[in-house]
Amino acid sequence: MPRKITAIIASFVLVVALVFIWRTIRPSPPAIHQAPRIGAGEVLAEETVKAVRNQGRVVVVTVGEPTQKRAPADARLDAFRKELRKHSSISHSATEFVWPDARVNEALPGCSSGAFGELLQRHANATALVFLIGLPSWESVSAIIPQGRSPKFIVMDTPLDALKKSHYRGYFASGLLSALIVPRRENSSDHVTNPKTPREWFHNEYQIFTRENYESLPE
């Protein structure tokens, strides 16, 4: 074999070996701790199952450009889908994308009333809408919600410090909002020390409000 070809092959092998060694010994990038978000997805699914009484069509609404075709990687959504697949009588029929725009949403960061109305029209036959984004104010949408046949809502919203009871009172009082999941403001009295499972992480970092306890939301 000519020396030139031998040298090229040797150089190639050396480069491959060096790349392998570098990838082996380099420090790993810090992993994003996903356990609380996985737990949140599992609980979202459980609350959805309760809301639809283990039967029906579910639509997920998350943040994104309305024209995009696929949801970006989201541990909550992945865990939600995995958990929901355990219930054969419930189908995840669609994922919708809403881009928050405070300029058209009364200075609020969540779903605008216009986008909310379009979702209700497009999915009039859905059993539940699961929002990974906050809802618009009740006053701005109550008149456009069909009476007697609206889907149930399950919502995961922004940090609790930004929430007010008045924002969700109408949704809860109407019976349309089945569950609201938000980050905790402080540790609970039964805080899990050294949490290991996604559910334990969820318990420490999030809390659930329902029609039974929403009055404890801040004014």
Side-chain angles (χ1 to χ4, degrees):
M1 182 180 292
R3 290 184 178 181
K4 186 175 182 180
I5 296 177
T6 303
I8 292 173
I9 294 174
S11 298
F12 176 76
V13 172
L14 178 61
V15 169
V16 171
L18 289 173
V19 170
F20 176 78
I21 294 171
W22 175 75
R23 293 184 65 178
T24 302
I25 66 174
R26 67 171 176 162
S28 299
I32 298 174
H33 190 60
Q34 297 285 16
R37 294 171 68 81
I38 293 171
E42 292 174 351
V43 173
L44 276 168
E46 288 181 358
E47 293 298 327
T48 300
V49 171
K50 291 179 190 176
V52 303
R53 299 181 180 180
N54 203 30
Q55 182 174 320
R57 293 175 55 251
V58 175
V59 175
V60 173
V61 183
T62 189
V63 175
E65 290 288 350
T67 56
Q68 71 188 63
K69 302 298 183 183
R70 184 180 301 176
D74 187 330
R76 297 172 303 173
L77 188 53
D78 291 343
F80 174 86
R81 288 169 172 163
K82 182 178 180 180
E83 191 69 24
L84 212 62
R85 282 196 292 268
K86 298 177 182 178
H87 304 269
S88 58
S89 56
I90 302 176
S91 64
H92 175 192
S93 61
T95 299
E96 292 276 6
F97 303 97
V98 172
W99 192 254
D101 188 348
R103 295 172 299 176
V104 296
N105 195 32
E106 302 171 339
L108 298 173
C111 180
S112 69
S113 56
F116 183 83
E118 291 174 4
L119 288 167
L120 289 181
Q121 289 183 359
R122 196 152 53 242
H123 300 287
N125 295 322
T127 316
L129 297 181
V130 178
F131 288 85
L132 299 179
I133 181 175
L135 298 184
S137 69
W138 172 254
E139 291 74 15
S140 67
V141 297
S142 58
I144 64 173
I145 297 177
Q147 297 298 312
R149 61 181 185 87
S150 175
K152 294 290 186 180
F153 306 137
I154 301 91
V155 179
M156 188 167 188
D157 204 344
T158 52
L160 189 55
D161 289 343
L163 293 177
K164 301 296 181 185
K165 186 195 310 182
S166 58
H167 186 78
Y168 280 109
R169 179 183 283 115
Y171 288 103
F172 276 121
S174 70
L176 294 174
L177 181 55
S178 296
L180 171 66
I181 297 175
V182 294
R184 289 188 183 277
R185 288 181 297 175
E186 54 192 24
N187 289 344
S188 61
S189 57
D190 56 347
H191 184 85
V192 178
T193 304
N194 299 321
K196 295 179 176 60
T197 67
R199 194 58 55 90
E200 289 175 342
W201 277 102
F202 173 87
H203 175 80
N204 284 356
E205 299 197 16
Y206 296 95
Q207 59 192 121
I208 305 173
F209 290 96
T210 65
R211 195 174 183 181
E212 286 68 39
N213 70 345
Y214 81 90
E215 291 290 350
S216 60
L217 281 163
E219 293 290 350

